[in-house]
Amino acid sequence: MSSYKEFAHIYDALMTDIPYDNYVHKVVSCIENVKGKSLLDIGCGTGVLSAKFAEQGFLVQAVDLSEEMLAMASERFQTEGYHIPLFHMSMTELEGFQDLDVAILSIDSLNYLEDEDQVLQTLHNIYQLLTEDGQLFFDVHSIFKMDELFLDGPFTYEDENVAYIWHTEEGEHPHSIYHDLTFFMKNSNGSYDRFEESHFQRSFDVSMYLSFLQKAGFTRIEVTADWSNESPKKDSERIFFHAIK
C-alpha cells in the first residue's frame, strides 16, 4: 500500500477533475438532519472531503496511512477553521471509534488493498463501528477501467509548477495495476526536482464487493456508477456502493 510520499504535495493539483461537491451531495441526500452526526473519512488524503463534510455540519474525524497526507490535511483544516481530529492508521486496522453515523472510503481508496481478506476485514471493521442504521459509502475503479483504460498509458500532465509521466503496468493479480509516476516539481529558483513513486491498485467485480459487504453484515446495499443514480454498465469507470447497517 502506498504512503503517498512526495506525491502528497501535488495531489490536489492532479485531482481537479474529481467532482467533490457531487460526492458530498450523494452522501447528504441519503441522510436526514446531518448536523451533529458523526462521520469518519477513511483514507482522507489532504482532507478536501473532510472539510466539505464539516461545512455541512457533520462531526468529522479522519484517518489516513500517509503522514504526509495527514500533515497537509491538518494545514488545510487550520486554514479553513475546522477542528477535525486526524489519525495515522491503516484502514484494515481501524480502532478507537464507535457509534459512527457515517463512514466514507472515497476516491478509490479501497483499491489500494491487495487481497480479498484485507477488503473483507476493512468492511467488517467499519460495520462494527457503525451505529444501528449507520451508513457506509465507498467507490472503486471498475473492472473495465482497470483492465482497459489504465493500460492505454502512458499518461502525461503539465502546468507551470508540476509535470508528470504516468506509466501503468498490469499487476500479477486479476484486475490489478502498478502506477509508476515520475514527476517534476518547480522550485522557487525555476529549477525542477524529480521524484519517482510506484502505487499499486486492485479492483474486484461488483458481485464480489456485494459478497464482501454481505459477509461483513450489511444487507441493505445500493450500487450506482459514474456520479449518477444509474446502475453500472459494461463501460462504467467508477462504481459507488452505499450500504446501511
Side-chain angles (χ1 to χ4, degrees), residues 31 37 51:
I31 299 170
K37 290 194 172 177

Side-chain angles (χ1 to χ4, degrees), residues 2-245:
S2 170
S3 61
Y4 280 95
K5 297 174 184 175
E6 296 296 336
F7 189 61
H9 298 285
I10 63 168
Y11 181 80
D12 288 340
L14 305 184
M15 297 292 282
T16 55
D17 62 328
I18 297 294
Y20 289 107
D21 289 336
N22 286 8
Y23 213 112
V24 174
H25 176 73
K26 284 178 72 71
V27 174
V28 171
S29 65
C30 296
I31 299 170
E32 295 183 6
N33 304 318
V34 303
K35 190 172 183 178
K37 290 194 172 177
S38 57
L39 182 148
L40 182 63
D41 186 357
I42 305 164
C44 67
T46 61
V48 174
L49 275 175
S50 295
K52 287 183 177 292
F53 281 118
E55 182 181 13
Q56 292 292 319
F58 284 102
L59 300 177
V60 180
Q61 300 178 86
V63 170
D64 204 279
L65 184 61
S66 167
E67 293 180 343
E68 292 80 10
M69 288 288 194
L70 290 172
M72 297 192 69
S74 178
E75 183 177 342
R76 178 190 304 280
F77 301 156
Q78 291 180 24
T79 300
E80 299 184 9
Y82 295 115
H83 176 68
I84 299 175
L86 290 164
F87 301 90
H88 179 222
M89 191 179 300
S90 167
M91 68 180 73
T92 61
E93 299 176 346
L94 294 173
E95 60 181 5
F97 309 99
Q98 59 183 355
D99 297 330
L100 296 172
D101 295 305
V102 181
I104 64 168
L105 264 164
S106 65
I107 319 302
D108 51 86
S109 294
L110 200 64
N111 287 132
Y112 283 90
L113 299 182
E114 296 186 8
D115 59 49
E116 295 95 328
D117 289 341
Q118 291 177 324
V119 176
L120 181 57
Q121 183 63 51
T122 297
L123 297 177
H124 173 77
N125 289 346
I126 293 172
Y127 183 87
Q128 298 301 316
L129 299 175
L130 289 172
T131 187
E132 192 66 30
D133 294 323
Q135 303 186 47
L136 166 64
F137 300 83
F138 71 89
D139 64 275
V140 294
H141 292 312
S142 69
I143 297 302
F144 170 71
K145 189 172 186 179
M146 297 294 286
D147 293 351
E148 298 189 38
L149 296 186
F150 274 141
L151 295 179
D152 283 340
F155 308 99
T156 60
Y157 173 92
E158 180 179 4
D159 64 24
E160 61 183 15
N161 294 312
V162 63
Y164 74 67
I165 304 171
W166 171 14
H167 292 275
T168 56
E169 181 181 349
E170 186 175 2
E172 63 272 21
H173 300 294
H175 318 306
S176 67
I177 290 289
Y178 285 100
H179 306 280
D180 295 315
L181 296 125
T182 301
F183 51 97
F184 305 86
M185 297 173 59
K186 190 175 183 179
N187 293 310
S188 57
N189 63 7
S191 64
Y192 287 81
D193 289 329
R194 171 175 171 162
F195 301 97
E196 295 183 349
E197 290 196 20
S198 182
H199 299 262
F200 174 85
Q201 287 191 308
R202 183 182 183 185
S203 203
F204 299 93
D205 186 81
V206 170
S207 63
M208 290 194 68
Y209 282 112
L210 289 173
S211 176
F212 296 149
L213 285 165
Q214 290 162 356
K215 288 179 180 178
F218 293 98
T219 56
R220 292 174 284 176
I221 306 167
E222 180 185 26
V223 185
T224 57
D226 295 337
W227 310 101
S228 74
N229 292 321
E230 298 182 359
S231 299
K233 300 179 176 63
K234 183 178 180 181
D235 59 351
S236 296
E237 297 184 25
R238 189 178 293 273
I239 312 299
F240 290 82
F241 293 84
H242 173 208
I244 304 175
K245 182 171 178 178

